[in-house]
């Protein structure tokens, strides 16, 4: 029987939200009565298997300490220039007492379904292999070049979501390797792929959207209200 595996969540929340064109970082926009970051942390706080919840924040973030957070597992680490740097900084923050696994989840994805996260963790622990939530592409995909065949075959195309769940040591080594090699890393899985390790794709709900541009807010607000009403029943 494998010893109980320890799991720590890392929440990248150090972005400026430039595409949102808002006067504060998008993770602090209020939707359905709370900031987006609070919604995300409230979701993760419902997972008892998380030993700690590390939130990567800008060192000049003036908002976080004002949030009415009650989960004692929540701690802050320093964000970095890019999302991958924020994640690596959080991994290094954990180095004195490293967990077995880390669950990396965007602050900007408050709508994530808890059952999807539970399934991701369960399937990866059973296989002893890292993986990510992903959703199969539903639209026809075009490549930007207007002077050649544009349509991309989509039968095996998936859209990567978060959480992304990997062994602490593997992710730390992969991210350090990829960043030192100046490889473009936009998610944890791309670093794991860089070091030629497998990534399980676990089908997740397509409404686990990353709130990115202004038109995402109305949909996210509606869905957050719907989730809150359903959980209140
Ligand atoms: N240096 C960075 C950049 C992003 N993030 C976080 O990574 C998540 C996904 O990134 P994205 O949606 O791109 O957020 P921003 O970088 O803030 O948005 P933009 O690219 O529009 O500026 C967000 O929760 C964001 O706060 C981070 O922790 N550190
Ligand atoms: C990690 C991610 O959410 C998976 O789709 C995405 O890569 C983040 O990209 P961003 O440009 O940092 O928002």
């Amino acid at each position: 029987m494998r010893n109980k595996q320890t799991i720590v969540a890392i929440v990248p929340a150090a972005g400026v939200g430039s595409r949102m064109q808002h006067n504060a970082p998008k993770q602090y926009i209020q939707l359905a009565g709370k900031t987006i970051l609070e919604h995300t942390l409230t979701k993760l706080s419902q997972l008892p298997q998380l030993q700690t919840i590390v939130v990567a924040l800008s060192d000049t973030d003036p908002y976080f300490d004002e949030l009415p957070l009650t989960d004692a597992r929540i701690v802050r680490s320093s964000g970095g220039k890019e999302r991958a740097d924020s994640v690596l900084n959080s991994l290094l923050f954990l180095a004195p007492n490293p967990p077995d696994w880390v669950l990396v989840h965007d602050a900007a994805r408050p709508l994530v379904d808890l059952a999807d996260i539970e399934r991701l963790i369960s399937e990866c622990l059973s296989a002893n292999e890292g993986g990510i939530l992903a959703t199969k592409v539903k639209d026809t995909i075009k490549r930007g070049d207007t002077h050649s065949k544009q349509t991309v075959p989509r039968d095996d195309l998936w859209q990567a979501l978060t959480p992304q769940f990997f062994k602490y040591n593997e992710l730390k080594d992969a991210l350090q390797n990829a960043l030192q090699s100046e490889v473009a890393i936009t998610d944890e899985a791309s670093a794991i792929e860089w070091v030629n390790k497998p990534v399980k794709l676990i089908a997740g709900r397509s409404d686990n959207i990353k709130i990115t541009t202004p038109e995402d807010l109305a949909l996210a607000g509606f869905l957050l209200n719907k989730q809150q009403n359903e959980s209140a029943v």
Side-chain angles (χ1 to χ4, degrees):
M1 175 69 178
R2 186 183 306 134
N3 295 336
K4 188 164 172 53
Q5 303 275 286
T6 55
I7 304 172
V8 166
I10 292 174
V11 181
V16 297
S18 57
R19 287 171 284 184
M20 185 57 78
Q21 299 165 338
H22 191 71
N23 57 13
K26 65 186 179 183
Q27 55 271 34
Y28 294 108
I29 291 175
Q30 290 266 345
L31 288 177
K34 281 192 281 198
T35 63
I36 289 169
L37 178 54
E38 285 172 271
H39 281 291
T40 301
L41 294 176
T42 300
K43 210 37 94 64
L44 294 179
S45 289
Q46 295 171 62
L47 295 167
Q49 62 268 56
L50 299 182
Q51 190 178 67
T52 303
I53 300 170
V54 179
V55 186
L57 296 165
S58 161
D59 289 341
T60 57
D61 179 314
Y63 307 101
F64 183 75
D65 290 341
E66 305 303 313
L67 299 182
L69 301 174
T70 56
D71 189 330
R73 294 175 292 173
I74 296 172
V75 297
R76 64 186 291 175
S77 68
S78 289
K81 182 173 180 295
E82 303 296 334
R83 182 183 177 284
D85 301 304
S86 295
V87 173
L88 181 55
N89 285 352
S90 299
L91 291 166
L92 296 173
F93 170 82
L94 291 166
N97 182 24
D100 297 304
W101 296 78
V102 286
L103 182 89
V104 185
H105 183 58
D106 291 336
R109 291 184 189 268
L111 288 157
V112 66
D113 179 60
L114 283 174
D116 281 357
I117 301 178
E118 298 275 14
R119 191 155 34 83
L120 170 68
I121 293 172
S122 168
E123 294 204 20
C124 289
L125 291 182
S126 299
N128 196 32
E129 192 176 284
I132 69 172
L133 287 184
T135 184
K136 280 192 78 61
V137 161
K138 293 188 263 191
D139 301 316
T140 294
I141 301 296
K142 303 288 183 184
R143 191 177 300 286
D145 176 359
T146 54
H147 303 291
S148 61
K149 190 160 60 72
Q150 294 174 298
T151 302
V152 179
R154 69 175 180 185
D155 289 354
D156 58 356
L157 285 189
W158 293 69
Q159 200 174 325
L161 308 170
T162 70
Q164 304 204 358
F165 186 61
F166 295 101
K167 291 179 184 175
Y168 172 85
N169 287 318
E170 287 188 5
L171 181 56
K172 180 169 71 68
D173 294 348
L175 267 175
Q176 285 175 319
N177 185 325
L179 292 173
Q180 279 158 11
S181 308
E182 297 184 348
V183 176
I185 297 294
T186 56
D187 71 345
E188 289 62 61
S190 44
I192 296 290
E193 293 153 17
W194 168 251
V195 296
N196 300 311
K197 288 185 187 289
V199 175
K200 289 173 74 65
L201 299 182
I202 307 295
R205 291 174 59 102
S206 59
D207 59 3
N208 173 14
I209 64 169
K210 182 166 65 71
I211 300 173
T212 306
T213 51
E215 62 268 32
D216 296 329
L217 292 173
L219 172 62
F222 169 79
L223 291 171
L224 283 167
N225 270 309
K226 180 168 177 287
Q227 285 186 354
Q228 284 184 142
N229 293 340
E230 284 166 355
S231 60
V233 171

